[in-house]
Amino acid sequence: MAANFWTSSHCKRLLEQEEISVVSNDDRDRGLTQEDVKIIKIYFSSYIKKLAQRAKVRQRVVATAIAYFRRVYTRKSFSEYDPRLVAPTCLYLASKAEESTVQAKLLIFYMKQIGSDENGFRYDIKDILEMEMKLLEALDYYLVIYHPYRPLVQLLRDAGLSDMIEMCWSIVNDSYGTDLILMHPPYMIALACIYISCVINERDNRLWFEESRVDMTVIKNIAMQIFDFYDNYRLGFEDRIGAILLKLSQKS
């Protein structure tokens, strides 16, 4: 593992929003829009969480799996790699990378429990193992992901806001409903979550942020993306996913 974030493959592969938001030609040919792609990512991020709850894995494994899922689709299309298979395989791969391995046969069992084989798509252990190799190639075998959780605890302690840890932690979890982990250093995401908590709880911590010498424009932009997720995508996406996945099932 890299000694720190700044020398890691994660840092070297941070992307701009424009790079992430591109809809591939294959997906566009099937009628997918930028909004459709956003819904797919949110839905399967949520699906990974549900699957992980059944498998009883740590939150870090969930976060890593979601980061893998989102990173894969900066290089591959949904038409080429079915998200219904990629999502559980990302969890399988993340569980190994984070040394909390879940057996593939257990994932298949839990997938059936929560109905992942709807719309006629059914996968078995062989499919997950084959997709694992494809994902490793798509990720260039760079599996180390740094998350905001550790810097969050340190920053809250420094700010004298340790009493807000539960809310901030929850907001960090929610940030994985966005592509922020692919775009910003983890400590910046942590700072944005602290900023949101301060706003919600009417805690004036402007002096501490000033002393931290961070770019508040960036912090506020990150916060706005999380607020956008809350306002427009936290609920209701499950009602829209069926029609979107149907587009993927059709030939272009």
Side-chain angles (χ1 to χ4, degrees):
M1 180 176 288
N4 60 67
F5 172 76
W6 302 109
T7 60
S8 70
S9 59
H10 183 172
C11 178
K12 294 173 183 177
R13 284 164 175 74
L14 290 179
L15 301 169
E16 298 294 331
Q17 181 69 66
E18 294 75 18
E19 298 176 276
I20 296 173
S21 300
V22 174
V23 180
S24 72
N25 290 333
D26 288 344
D27 289 341
R28 194 179 298 112
D29 288 344
R30 290 177 185 255
L32 290 187
T33 65
Q34 195 173 89
E35 181 71 4
D36 290 338
V37 167
K38 197 169 187 177
I39 295 296
I40 291 174
K41 290 179 182 178
I42 291 171
Y43 176 82
F44 282 101
S45 295
S46 176
Y47 173 75
I48 287 171
K49 291 180 182 179
K50 291 179 182 178
L51 196 56
Q53 287 173 351
R54 298 293 181 103
K56 294 181 171 58
V57 297
R58 295 176 295 132
Q59 177 60 37
R60 183 179 179 86
V61 177
V62 178
T64 296
I66 293 173
Y68 288 169
F69 182 85
R70 289 175 174 273
R71 183 180 284 176
V72 162
Y73 287 111
T74 64
R75 296 187 164 201
K76 301 295 181 179
S77 69
F78 292 101
S79 304
E80 182 181 6
Y81 284 9
D82 187 348
R84 285 162 285 205
L85 177 58
V86 171
T89 308
C90 282
L91 183 59
Y92 176 65
L93 182 58
S95 75
K96 294 204 287 187
E98 298 292 351
E99 300 180 348
S100 185
T101 305
V102 178
Q103 293 183 352
K105 64 180 180 181
L106 279 179
L107 282 181
I108 294 295
F109 174 73
Y110 295 132
M111 287 165 65
K112 291 178 179 178
Q113 278 192 335
I114 60 180
S116 67
D117 56 355
E118 60 189 7
N119 299 321
F121 282 83
R122 298 179 183 275
Y123 294 108
D124 57 26
I125 295 174
K126 178 176 66 70
D127 296 313
I128 285 184
L129 297 180
E130 288 178 355
M131 180 55 73
E132 179 188 17
M133 299 309 299
K134 293 179 180 179
L135 296 187
L136 284 168
E137 291 182 9
L139 295 168
D140 284 336
Y141 297 89
Y142 290 114
L143 302 180
V144 175
I145 302 291
Y146 284 80
H147 298 287
Y149 300 105
R150 181 176 294 178
L152 175 69
V153 174
Q154 296 169 340
L155 289 165
L156 285 172
R157 187 182 300 122
D158 180 67
L161 297 172
S162 294
D163 60 306
M164 295 172 60
I165 181 65
E166 187 173 341
M167 173 176 281
C168 289
W169 196 279
S170 178
I171 296 171
V172 169
N173 289 344
D174 292 338
S175 75
Y176 287 87
T178 73
D179 288 312
L180 289 170
I181 194 63
L182 304 184
M183 299 165 55
H184 298 283
Y187 86 97
M188 294 290 280
I189 299 172
L191 282 168
C193 293
I194 294 173
Y195 173 78
I196 291 172
S197 294
C198 287
V199 170
I200 292 173
N201 289 285
E202 299 182 347
R203 300 277 286 270
D204 187 352
N205 231 46
R206 284 174 292 182
L207 180 59
W208 179 77
F209 277 105
E210 290 174 5
E211 292 175 347
S212 299
R213 297 181 180 179
V214 295
D215 188 337
M216 286 307 297
T217 300
V218 176
I219 296 299
K220 290 178 181 179
N221 284 340
I222 294 172
M224 288 304 297
Q225 290 190 56
I226 296 174
F227 278 128
D228 176 66
F229 169 71
Y230 285 150
D231 291 341
N232 299 309
Y233 300 101
R234 195 176 190 183
L235 299 173
F237 60 85
E238 292 185 348
D239 297 331
R240 303 161 65 181
I241 192 65
I244 296 172
L245 292 180
L246 187 59
K247 295 180 183 180
L248 286 178
S249 303
Q250 298 171 345
K251 293 184 178 181
S252 58

